[in-house]
């Protein structure tokens, strides 16, 4: 059975940035359960993020990953290309939302 996961990230700690806005937006993108949201306070330039790696290892064929915007996923074009290759290879769906 396919699952919908979410990923959110802030660059600084929870005292300086509120990650809950991203979590709320992930629900509107289709994530139904808080336990399916992977989140962390880590720089987007770091390509070796613990929670992102857990998520990318967790997803299976026909699953969906949602992020609020591409910059939450990565700040690197080459890392984005790696993630898109994984999405294609695993045959998963990637939803990148954008809220104004």
């Amino acid at each position: 059975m396919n699952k919908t996961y979410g990923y959110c990230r802030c660059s600084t700690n929870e005292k300086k940035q509120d990650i809950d806005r991203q979590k709320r937006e992930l629900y509107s993108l289709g994530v139904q359960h808080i336990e399916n949201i992977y989140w962390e306070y880590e720089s987007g330039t770091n390509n070796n993020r613990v929670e992102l790696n857990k998520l990318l290892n967790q997803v299976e064929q026909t699953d969906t990953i949602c992020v609020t915007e591409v910059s939450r996923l990565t700040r690197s074009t080459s890392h984005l290309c790696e993630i898109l290759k994984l999405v294609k290879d695993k045959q998963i769906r990637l939803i990148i939302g954008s809220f104004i």
Side-chain angles (χ1 to χ4, degrees):
M1 182 174 170
N2 60 349
K3 292 183 180 180
T4 300
Y5 296 95
Y7 177 76
C8 48
R9 179 195 62 75
C10 286
S11 296
T12 60
N13 67 38
E14 61 274 3
K15 292 177 183 172
K16 294 185 179 182
Q17 287 184 308
D18 180 13
I19 206 164
D20 290 334
R21 177 193 58 82
Q22 288 180 60
K23 290 178 184 177
R24 287 189 302 273
E25 291 175 8
L26 290 173
Y27 289 125
S28 70
L29 291 172
V31 180
Q32 296 180 352
H33 305 287
I34 188 71
E35 61 269 10
N36 288 349
I37 296 177
Y38 291 75
W39 57 277
E40 58 196 332
Y41 291 92
E42 185 69 56
S43 171
T45 60
N46 177 0
N47 293 346
N48 191 23
R49 286 177 264 139
V50 172
E51 293 300 311
L52 178 59
N53 289 337
K54 281 183 193 176
L55 172 58
L56 295 176
N57 288 322
Q58 172 74 29
V59 291
E60 298 177 350
Q61 186 175 1
T62 74
D63 286 347
T64 300
I65 295 175
C66 299
V67 295
T68 59
E69 56 189 75
V70 73
S71 67
R72 301 303 87 204
L73 191 58
T74 185
R75 293 282 192 173
S76 160
T77 302
S78 62
H79 190 224
L80 178 60
C81 290
E82 290 172 21
I83 292 170
L84 292 175
K85 182 178 181 335
L86 182 135
V87 165
K88 182 181 175 189
D89 291 347
K90 282 194 167 189
Q91 298 178 11
I92 60 176
R93 190 170 161 212
L94 177 62
I95 297 175
I96 301 172
S98 178
F99 294 87
I100 298 173

